[in-house]
Each structure stands twice: as structure tokens, then as C-alpha cells.
Amino acid sequence: MFQDILQEVFDRTEGVVMVSLLGMDGLAIERVIKPSGERLDFEEDLLSAEYSTLFKNVDSANRDIGLQGTREVIVSTDACRIVMNRAGTDFLVVSLL
């Protein structure tokens, strides 16, 4: 079910390397990723765990200072951009570009 939706996001997003649906615990539920020869060298499970924690920390900070809940977090590095979007209350969609 989720695989088809993620594949559509993957196909429609220019420059995407990976799209994952994560539980808020950082565990991947579904993932679409480019073949290894066409992507960055990174550990998908580690990225999922670390960035779900980052999202939760940003969300907590926003709530603590009265900004309400977080919808999206974007991190830009020298190698890529990571876009995290809340999907309901229990999930994140993480895109690596």
C-alpha cells in the first residue's frame, strides 16, 4: 500500500535518491531508493534513526517555546538535502535529495 505512494513521490521528485516512510521510532516501514551505483554512499537505517530523532527534538523545542507542532524539517549538507515531513501523528516521510 505505502510502497505505491512512495514510488509515485520518488518518480515525481527531481533529484531524489531515497524516499522513506518511517515510524516516529525511526524504523523504516517502506522505502524506495535508487540503485547503489546511482546514489550517495550512506547507511539507510542509520539515517532513518538519526533524522527521526532530530525531527522529534525540533518538534519538542518548537512546542516548548510555543510554536506548536513541527510539520517539516529540512537539513542541507555539502552532499545532499534531507527533507522530513510529518505524515499524521505517527509517521515521517523522509526524502533524500
Side-chain angles (χ1 to χ4, degrees):
M1 176 179 155
F2 296 122
Q3 187 72 24
D4 293 338
I5 296 167
L6 292 179
Q7 186 66 53
E8 185 174 341
V9 170
F10 186 88
D11 293 341
R12 291 182 173 201
T13 306
E14 185 176 337
V16 72
V17 175
M18 179 185 79
V19 179
S20 292
L21 177 66
L22 308 179
M24 292 303 281
D25 58 3
L27 296 176
I29 297 163
E30 292 284 352
R31 179 182 291 146
V32 177
I33 190 164
K34 279 192 173 186
S36 61
E38 302 176 34
R39 63 177 175 89
L40 300 168
D41 185 25
F42 65 95
E43 173 55 48
E44 295 90 1
D45 291 332
L46 181 58
L47 183 139
S48 298
E50 294 290 343
Y51 279 91
S52 65
T53 299
L54 175 67
F55 189 94
K56 289 186 286 189
N57 288 340
V58 170
D59 188 55
S60 179
N62 284 341
R63 290 175 189 280
D64 288 350
I65 60 177
L67 296 177
Q68 300 181 10
T70 303
R71 293 183 189 165
E72 180 177 73
V73 174
I74 301 172
V75 177
S76 295
T77 74
D78 290 338
C80 65
R81 185 173 34 186
I82 298 107
V83 180
M84 297 168 279
N85 293 282
R86 182 181 296 275
T89 57
D90 299 324
F91 304 102
L92 290 176
V93 175
V94 178
S95 302
L96 182 68
L97 302 129

